[in-house]
Amino acid sequence: MIFDCLSCVATGGGVVDVASLSDEEWKKKLTPEQFYITRQKGTERAFTGEYWNTKTPATYHCICRDKPLFESSTKFDRTGRPSYYQPIGNNVKSKLDLSIILMPREEVLCAACNARLEHVFYDGPPPTGKHYSINT
């Protein structure tokens, strides 16, 4: 299974030196949709991703860097995108997103390559109270 910004560990994606990749090099490694979402801060409509409702036990990795991001055991049903209440270690980071005036949000990024994953909200279940909404 390949997700737009996530891939199942079973796909065995290769490790990439992301520090030196240009947009043209990313375009060669990713599908147009993967590039749009992860490198250009795109998003998909809710309930449209092929794997938004999967229940498959797995470790989900960044499609760009193959870094483990989320365990399926931390997934919960919340939106039309995969939602998790806890990332793996420090492999996910967030930063303020001011792209919509009067609606600041926290953008979620892969800590290894800055791939945009989606947003984190503070309405999730215990123990974190967080809700990482991720593009599929």
Side-chain angles (χ1 to χ4, degrees):
M1 293 187 293
I2 299 288
F3 297 3
D4 293 335
C5 63
L6 298 175
S7 65
C8 179
V9 72
T11 61
V15 175
V16 177
D17 176 15
V18 298
S20 61
L21 290 182
S22 68
D23 280 351
E24 290 308 312
E25 290 170 308
W26 278 121
K27 286 179 182 178
K28 290 177 186 174
K29 296 185 176 302
L30 302 170
T31 69
E33 185 177 29
Q34 290 166 345
F35 178 79
Y36 170 68
I37 290 171
T38 62
R39 311 317 307 174
Q40 295 183 311
K41 300 185 179 195
T43 193
E44 64 186 358
R45 286 186 341 211
F47 306 102
T48 62
E50 184 176 353
Y51 302 107
W52 73 268
N53 197 28
T54 186
K55 306 288 188 215
T56 304
T59 299
Y60 296 98
H61 289 223
C62 174
I63 196 71
C64 297
R65 181 72 168 115
D66 196 32
K67 194 78 165 173
L69 302 176
F70 297 98
E71 293 286 348
S72 58
S73 61
T74 66
K75 186 176 186 214
F76 67 100
D77 294 328
R78 175 60 62 115
T79 67
R81 293 183 186 92
S83 294
Y84 304 89
Y85 61 82
Q86 184 171 340
I88 295 173
N90 294 322
N91 294 347
V92 170
K93 64 183 182 179
S94 64
K95 71 175 192 172
L96 187 60
D97 176 5
L98 298 173
S99 61
I100 299 177
I101 297 174
L102 302 175
M103 193 173 137
R105 300 176 289 174
E106 256 186 90
E107 185 175 51
V108 178
L109 307 167
C110 171
C113 70
N114 290 322
R116 181 183 183 270
L117 306 173
E118 189 54 50
H119 291 96
V120 62
F121 303 97
Y122 292 88
D123 62 351
T128 66
K130 294 183 180 179
H131 156 202
Y132 293 84
S133 176
I134 305 299
N135 283 303
T136 63

